[in-house]
Amino acid sequence: MSKPVFIISLDFELHWGRFDKGPLQGKEDYYRQTLKAISHLLSLFREYDIAVTWATVGMLMADNEKEWADFSPQKEPVYLKSRYSAYEWYRHENGDPNCLFAPDAIREIVSTPGQELGSHTFAHYYTRENGQKADTFRADLMAAKQIAVEKFGQELKSLVFPRNQYDEEALRISKEAGFSTVRTNPEDWYWKFPEDGKFIKRFFRTGDALFYYGKKKSFSHENLFSANSHLPVLLPASRFLRPFHPNLGILNQLKIQKVKREMQVAASSAEAYHLWWHPHNHGWYPNQSLLEVREILEHFCKLRDLFGMESHSMGSLSNALQASRQK
């Protein structure tokens, strides 16, 4: 397989991805706008024939609190800092169920051609936080797979780690749990061990969206299969698409121009480019942010015509690479 590749993966989490960062109260409209934006995103992906992996928190798949409890694993993570536990937060805070459960959105996703339902773990699980253990992580992954199969008939094969936290043990457990593909971090030093939260790393990650430093963002996809058979396919991220904000002015367009130039490099080099973001990034200023997505997809279509660039989800790329190895 020698054609250039464009991959999109989305971290679908609503407030399950933000419960330890701030209160739900006051954000209800933000999440309502997010759910509306998902329908618009799916329309765009259908219009431009774009394959996407929706890495979804398993808790989102429940209809209500009772079903959430029914599918929750017997073994919960016991973090040293309990604020990292989605279970502890929900029991004490609760909140608007429309910001926590979204089965209708998931049905719309899986019924749209080219869309892959992936996993963002069941409970937005942090594999690098103190106190978590292998058995609770394994139980979390199995709960995510169970709710996806029983409710939506979907076998989860692609995994994105919350907050981009992972280590070799987490990768090995993921493979044992049946995940064949995992999104990993860029090679730049400021993406390594993101859980340490140092300001200098956050500063460089933010600046990387606008300025040219760090390593090349596209990569060869011919040798993604690990020599270690106990690990899944490790599919690097290239770029986080930062959300539109009016206060950024011309920087919004500079950000998109940088993504388009990086895509052009990937296409002309027969390499892969992996873009990711959160659906809730469209919760504020949805019209403007969706126009940015359209501009990127229009550019992909030009690269498809010029260089034969292909659109893939994480899972479809893994399958295509596996098939090419077996020829």
Side-chain angles (χ1 to χ4, degrees):
M1 181 180 178
S2 58
K3 290 187 176 181
V5 171
F6 180 47
I7 310 118
I8 294 178
S9 57
L10 304 181
D11 298 6
F12 184 23
E13 51 193 34
L14 296 184
H15 199 67
W16 293 119
R18 299 164 58 85
F19 68 88
D20 57 323
K21 288 186 171 291
L24 172 54
Q25 289 71 26
K27 294 288 181 63
E28 291 85 356
D29 187 60
Y30 175 70
Y31 293 121
R32 281 193 290 270
Q33 291 298 325
T34 296
L35 293 172
K36 291 179 181 178
I38 286 172
S39 292
H40 293 299
L41 279 172
L42 290 170
S43 294
L44 283 173
F45 297 150
R46 187 185 297 108
E47 178 181 350
Y48 291 97
D49 194 19
I50 302 295
V52 176
T53 294
W54 295 74
T56 304
V57 171
M59 290 178 168
L60 268 181
M61 301 184 192
D63 282 348
N64 49 47
E65 181 177 357
K66 180 183 183 304
E67 195 167 70
W68 168 84
D70 289 343
F71 279 102
S72 293
Q74 294 288 322
K75 295 180 179 180
E76 298 177 8
V78 184
Y79 302 111
L80 293 186
K81 296 180 179 179
S82 61
R83 68 186 179 90
Y84 290 128
S85 171
Y87 304 95
E88 291 294 322
W89 172 82
Y90 188 67
R91 291 182 186 119
H92 290 92
E93 298 293 332
N94 211 310
D96 186 344
N98 294 315
C99 304
L100 301 170
F101 307 122
D104 290 341
I106 295 165
R107 291 186 186 95
E108 188 176 5
I109 290 167
V110 299
S111 65
T112 300
Q115 309 308 292
E116 176 194 22
L117 186 64
S119 181
H120 205 32
T121 73
F122 184 77
H124 207 255
Y125 193 105
Y126 303 132
T127 64
R128 296 279 296 173
E129 293 299 338
N130 292 328
Q132 79 85 24
K133 297 180 180 179
D135 61 339
T136 56
F137 178 50
R138 187 176 289 105
D140 177 278
L141 293 182
M142 299 315 295
K145 291 178 77 72
Q146 181 184 7
I147 193 170
V149 167
E150 293 192 13
K151 288 205 63 176
F152 304 101
Q154 300 292 307
E155 182 69 33
L156 303 180
K157 292 293 186 180
S158 298
L159 174 67
V160 171
F161 288 96
R163 304 277 159 82
N164 301 298
Q165 295 183 16
Y166 58 89
D167 53 23
E168 186 158 339
E169 180 184 49
L171 293 171
R172 177 181 55 78
I173 292 171
S174 302
K175 180 68 176 290
E176 292 171 356
F179 289 95
S180 57
T181 311
V182 166
R183 191 181 75 203
T184 56
N185 295 332
E187 288 297 314
D188 304 289
W189 64 269
Y190 42 88
W191 276 104
K192 295 184 183 298
F193 307 112
E195 67 277 2
D196 66 21
K198 291 181 179 177
F199 170 78
I200 189 66
K201 286 187 176 182
R202 299 197 308 272
F203 176 83
F204 272 86
R205 288 199 295 266
T206 300
D208 191 30
L210 299 169
F211 306 108
Y212 286 90
Y213 53 76
K215 298 184 178 181
K216 186 179 180 183
K217 302 307 178 186
S218 55
F219 54 91
S220 172
H221 52 285
E222 294 297 313
N223 301 305
L224 287 175
F225 284 89
S226 172
N228 186 342
S229 62
H230 298 296
L231 298 182
V233 174
L234 306 181
L235 185 56
S238 298
R239 164 82 49 216
F240 170 56
L241 179 62
R242 294 193 173 273
F244 173 92
H245 197 285
N247 291 346
L248 293 176
I250 194 173
L251 295 182
N252 288 298
Q253 190 56 37
L254 291 177
K255 167 195 70 182
I256 300 302
Q257 291 302 321
K258 187 173 184 185
V259 169
K260 290 164 65 175
R261 281 193 291 270
E262 291 170 346
M263 291 172 64
Q264 184 93 21
V265 169
S268 62
S269 306
E271 293 185 328
Y273 187 78
H274 187 176
L275 191 65
W276 71 278
W277 70 90
H278 309 89
H280 67 241
N281 294 144
H282 304 294
W284 302 136
Y285 316 109
N287 293 334
Q288 297 93 327
S289 63
L290 289 168
L291 281 174
E292 290 185 338
V293 174
R294 180 180 287 277
E295 184 175 349
I296 290 170
L297 300 186
E298 290 275 6
H299 187 61
F300 164 75
C301 289
K302 294 177 183 178
L303 299 178
R304 180 167 54 194
D305 292 341
L306 285 171
F307 300 101
M309 197 175 207
E310 296 181 350
S311 170
H312 278 280
S313 65
M314 291 171 59
S316 70
L317 178 59
S318 177
N319 292 339
L321 292 172
Q322 184 67 56
S324 67
R325 292 179 79 203
Q326 295 172 351
K327 288 182 178 178

